[in-house]
Amino acid sequence: MNFLETFINVVLLVVLTLPGYFLKKVKLLPDKAASTFAVLLLYIAQPFLMMSSLFNKTFESADLLSFLWVIIFAVVLQLAVYFVAKLFFAGCKEEATKRACVACSYLGNVGFMGIPVMQMLFPDNPDMILYTVVYNIAFNAMTWTLGVYAITGEKKRIDPLKILLNPPTIAVIIALPFFFLNVTIPEEVMTPIRYLGDMTLPLSMIILGVRLADMPLRRLVDSWRVYGVAFVKLIVSPLLSFAIMLLVGLFVPIDRFVLIALYIIAAMPSASSALNFAEMYGGDRETAAAATVMNTLLCILTIPVLMLLCQFF
């Protein structure tokens, strides 16, 4: 896919923020609208998106090796970006702000935005969707462990049960037996599952639009930390991933599309997880919100440019 096609697709995604933005600006949405939409997103839309991404997909035993590589890279790449972000923001004096910046720098929007982006960029390659779903398994585990620790700095805040007992992971656990056994789900069942799963991207973008409407423009543009997070998440993260995977690919035969999928996932903007954790555990909510919004706006330019490097895999 060339630069222009990718650019148009990413712009179309961000355009979905406009309904939430304008409805909030004209006060047609209540103050807690974003939180309400977030509940629908986490407990309904994303789990059904996970299931629809696995149901009625053909599984072959040869795929297991590719899935294993995805999980290994998911852990390694996230850890690498986490430590890079800690070094980058080491000079930040406000502890809560530093923690929010680190979390936003390595927690990517893999589920809400990653899967729909893969569907748009690679409509004829269902394996790319599967790799993104598998990545989500590792991502969710690290989100509820390293992600919580990044925001709080307290190991006691980590709840091991949350690694499994979160809606997207539960949905994957339900769907995996059907996927591995190649069980065909009737179309009458798949249709409502797809409809509910397809809400994921619009809902996540509407939530972003609502948060953007609530945020003073000055808060977005007057902090070097917000730009620092964008630099680490949108540029350093994918380029570091590109370098690591290119190096490994010289010595180990890994499917080309596995590398491309991991690279594009690394280019996704900050996830709302960091903001959610900041709200839950008393972190720097304002910085997390500003960084998440700025990342998503800037990815309109960075993703199409970074896609040009896919030819080297």
Side-chain angles (χ1 to χ4, degrees):
M1 183 173 289
N2 62 37
F3 175 87
L4 183 59
E5 288 177 305
T6 307
F7 177 76
I8 292 172
N9 279 324
V10 178
V11 168
L12 289 176
L13 298 183
V14 179
V15 164
L16 296 176
T17 63
L18 297 180
Y21 179 83
F22 287 115
L23 287 174
K24 191 66 172 68
K25 279 296 186 183
V26 297
K27 303 185 184 305
L28 288 177
L29 291 176
D31 291 338
K32 295 186 177 180
S35 299
T36 302
F37 289 146
V39 171
L40 287 172
L41 183 64
L42 180 62
Y43 288 92
I44 302 295
Q46 192 185 13
F48 278 102
L49 177 64
M50 293 293 193
M51 288 192 285
S52 67
S53 299
L54 287 172
F55 284 156
N56 292 352
K57 300 296 190 298
T58 303
F59 169 72
E60 299 177 1
S61 57
D63 294 332
L64 285 174
L65 181 59
S66 294
F67 295 160
L68 179 61
W69 277 118
V70 170
I71 291 176
I72 291 173
F73 272 117
V75 175
V76 171
L77 296 178
Q78 287 184 84
L79 284 174
V81 179
Y82 171 75
F83 286 112
V84 168
K86 281 183 70 70
L87 289 174
F88 189 88
F89 293 103
C92 182
K93 296 179 180 179
E94 300 87 357
E95 188 64 24
T97 299
K98 177 166 64 176
R99 293 188 178 283
C101 290
V102 170
C104 289
S105 295
Y106 90 94
L107 291 175
N109 197 339
V110 182
F112 300 154
M113 192 170 175
I115 294 176
V117 166
M118 287 296 183
Q119 290 173 331
M120 294 182 73
L121 297 182
F122 301 95
D124 300 322
N125 191 341
D127 286 345
M128 301 295 277
I129 313 300
L130 293 177
Y131 298 150
T132 311
V133 172
V134 172
Y135 191 104
N136 263 278
I137 298 173
F139 173 79
N140 285 330
M142 294 192 70
T143 297
W144 287 99
T145 51
L146 187 59
V148 173
Y149 178 75
I151 287 290
T152 64
E154 300 175 358
K155 293 181 181 179
K156 65 180 181 181
R157 296 280 192 173
I158 298 173
D159 184 357
L161 285 177
K162 291 288 182 68
I163 297 173
L164 293 176
L165 299 182
N166 62 80
T169 301
I170 292 173
V172 171
I173 292 172
I174 292 172
L176 278 177
F178 294 88
F179 172 66
F180 286 135
L181 296 174
N182 285 316
V183 176
T184 300
I185 305 298
E187 190 59 31
E188 293 79 8
V189 177
M190 283 300 302
T191 298
I193 289 175
R194 288 197 197 98
Y195 284 156
L196 291 170
D198 287 345
M199 293 194 307
T200 300
L201 183 62
L203 266 178
S204 64
M205 293 295 103
I206 287 172
I207 292 169
L208 184 69
V210 172
R211 286 176 172 157
L212 180 59
D214 287 334
M215 187 178 301
L217 181 61
R218 178 182 57 79
R219 189 71 184 86
L220 274 178
V221 300
D222 70 351
S223 173
W224 71 267
R225 298 176 185 86
V226 172
Y227 293 106
V229 171
F231 175 71
V232 175
K233 184 69 199 74
L234 300 178
I235 299 176
V236 175
S237 172
L239 292 182
L240 179 63
S241 302
F242 178 83
I244 292 173
M245 291 184 294
L246 204 61
L247 181 63
V248 173
L250 294 176
F251 303 97
V252 182
I254 302 174
D255 185 272
R256 175 174 179 263
F257 285 105
V258 170
L259 300 178
I260 292 175
L262 289 163
Y263 170 62
I264 294 174
I265 289 170
M268 290 297 106
S270 299
S272 60
S273 305
L275 174 56
N276 295 337
F277 289 152
E279 293 175 337
M280 288 168 58
Y281 300 114
D284 188 344
R285 178 186 177 281
E286 287 191 1
T287 297
T292 302
V293 170
M294 178 63 81
N295 265 253
T296 307
L297 295 177
L298 291 178
C299 79
I300 296 174
L301 296 174
T302 58
I303 291 177
V305 172
L306 290 166
M307 280 286 291
L308 298 175
L309 293 178
C310 288
Q311 61 183 307
F312 293 102
F313 283 115

